[in-house]
Amino acid sequence: MSSAPLPPGLLGSASPLASAYDGALLDLDGVCFAGEARVPHAADSVNAARAVGMRLSFVTNNASRAPRTVVDKLRANGIQAEPGEVFSAAMDAAVMLTEHLAPGSLCLVVGGDGVRQALLDEGFTLTDTAADRPAAVVQGWDPAVDWAMLSEGLYAITAGALHVATNLDATLPTERGFALGNGSLVAAIAHASGKEPLAGGKPFPGIYERALARSGATSPIAVGDRLNTDHVGARTAGIPGLHVLTGVSTARDVILADPAERPAFLHTDLRGLIEAHPEPMSDGAWWSVGRERARVSGGRLELAGAGPLERPATVTLDAYRALAAAAWAGADATGGSRAGAQVLGLPEITVAP
C-alpha cells in the first residue's frame, strides 16, 4: 500500500488488474452477490483472478455473518474462498475495541453471530442484558435485530457503556432493492441516547489496512459498488479502487463524484479485474478513452457524435470512462470542487454491459 496520495483522475492499465496488482480487497453485497441473487460475471472473474495468483480478501461492512458463513455464501454463488480470506466490519470493530477496553471485558451485542464470533475471537465476554452492566454495546446489522434488542442496547449506553458500531451504512442492497442498513439502526440508538458511537468498517481506512495486513498483499486494489464507503475508504488508505455498477452507486453518481469518492478504474462488473483498462488521454479540450471522446462545454457533458447529454442515454464502457474523465477534469480545473457543480442537468446514464 502506498502512502502517497492517489492521482485524482482515472488510471490506465495495459495488463489486467489481476496481473498489475497482487491483491484485491473485495466488497461482498452488491459486488460478489446481491442478497440472494447472483451478480453476473462475478464468479468467473474472481476465480480467474485467483488463478493468476492474485491474493483475495473479502472485506465487508455486513457484520451479520461469521467467516465460515460468508465462505458458504460465496461458494453458493460459485466463488472460491476460505475463512481466513474474510474480514468483516464486525471483526474490524472487535479489533478496534481492544484499543479501548481491558482484555475480557463484558460486551452486549446488538447484532448476530458475526458480531458475537468476532468479539469472542478477540477475547471479550458477552451478555444479552444491560442488567449485567456491560462495558460496551457493539452493534452490527442482522435480520434478528428488533425493538427489544435495540432498547437493551440503549439501556446499557444510558448507564455508561461505550457504543460501538461495526459500520454506518444507511442501506443494504438486496434482490428486492435497498433495505435498512446498520447505520439506520445505529442512528435510532444514537438519537435516543444523545451519544455518537465509535464506528468501524468503511469508509474508515482502518478496515482496509487491517484486512491487507492479514492478506499479505503489498500492491492491492479495492473493489466496491459504493462511492461513499468503499471508495472513500480506499482512497483515504491510498489504495486504488475499481468501481462496479452492480450495487448502489450509479454511473451518474460516479461521473458527478466528489474527489474524495473517485475510483481509479471503472467497469460494469467484476470483469474489470481480468481486463486491461485503457488510459484516458486529453488533447486539452476532449478526453479520449479508446475510440470514445467526451468534454464539458457550456456546463454540459458532451459525447462526440452524440452531442450534449440532456436525456437518459445508454453508452459504451469506454464512453462512460471518457465522460467521467472529462467531468472530473472540469471540476479539478475550478479548484477541485464536486463535478456535479460543474455539470448541469446530467441525465441517468446506462452503461452497456
Side-chain angles (χ1 to χ4, degrees):
M1 182 175 61
S2 172
S3 59
L6 292 172
L10 287 181
L11 301 180
S13 178
S15 58
L17 299 185
S19 301
Y21 296 87
D22 70 351
L25 304 171
L26 291 150
D27 185 47
L28 291 179
D29 293 290
V31 175
C32 293
F33 47 75
E36 297 305 314
R38 287 202 175 201
V39 170
H41 309 292
D44 290 346
S45 300
V46 173
N47 295 337
R50 183 188 296 278
V52 299
M54 190 174 228
R55 299 185 183 192
L56 304 179
S57 183
F58 299 93
V59 184
T60 176
N61 266 6
N62 188 325
S64 67
R65 308 181 186 102
R68 170 52 65 182
T69 306
V70 172
V71 167
D72 290 343
K73 186 168 181 63
L74 285 166
R75 290 179 177 174
N77 281 272
I79 297 173
Q80 303 166 25
E82 298 297 333
E85 295 173 328
V86 176
F87 195 78
S88 71
M91 298 163 70
D92 189 48
V95 173
M96 185 172 58
L97 197 54
T98 64
E99 302 169 2
H100 296 267
L101 298 182
S105 292
L106 186 65
C107 297
L108 188 153
V109 173
V110 177
D113 290 342
V115 177
R116 291 177 177 276
Q117 187 61 56
L119 290 169
L120 291 171
D121 288 346
E122 294 299 328
F124 293 107
T125 53
L126 307 182
T127 182
D128 293 321
T129 175
D132 288 338
R133 306 284 297 186
V137 172
V138 184
Q139 184 174 0
W141 185 90
D142 189 88
V145 172
D146 58 10
W147 177 89
M149 195 180 290
L150 290 169
S151 296
E152 203 66 32
L154 177 62
Y155 297 144
I157 293 164
T158 302
L162 178 66
H163 187 191
V164 179
T166 61
N167 69 287
L168 299 177
D169 285 358
T171 61
L172 179 72
T174 74
E175 67 278 5
R176 293 178 60 190
F178 298 113
L180 289 172
N182 193 55
S184 296
L185 303 179
V186 168
I189 292 183
H191 177 70
S193 71
K195 300 177 182 179
E196 289 300 314
L198 180 68
K202 309 168 194 176
F204 305 107
I207 189 170
Y208 281 127
E209 294 162 354
R210 295 180 186 109
L212 186 59
R214 294 193 179 200
S215 77
T218 58
S219 177
I221 189 164
V223 187
D225 64 302
R226 287 179 182 255
L227 294 176
N228 63 354
T229 55
D230 301 321
H231 293 286
V232 169
R235 185 166 282 277
T236 304
I239 300 172
L242 166 65
H243 182 267
V244 293
L245 295 171
T246 48
V248 174
S249 298
T250 66
R252 184 179 186 275
D253 295 333
V254 170
I255 293 168
L256 301 182
D258 184 89
E261 300 176 337
R262 294 176 188 169
F265 300 97
L266 303 178
H267 206 287
T268 53
D269 51 63
L270 282 172
R271 286 176 294 181
L273 276 179
I274 56 173
E275 295 179 4
H277 290 250
E279 183 176 0
M281 306 292 290
S282 175
D283 63 7
W286 293 87
W287 279 86
S288 301
V289 177
R291 296 182 177 180
E292 302 283 5
R293 297 190 301 148
R295 68 177 179 180
V296 177
S297 179
R300 301 283 181 173
L301 257 181
E302 181 178 345
L303 193 61
L309 296 179
E310 297 177 336
R311 59 187 63 186
T314 298
V315 302
T316 68
L317 177 55
D318 281 349
Y320 166 46
R321 291 164 171 160
L323 289 166
W328 297 355
D332 293 345
T334 63
S337 59
R338 189 177 181 90
Q342 311 303 316
V343 178
L344 305 175
L346 185 67
E348 290 301 322
I349 302 295
T350 300
V351 184

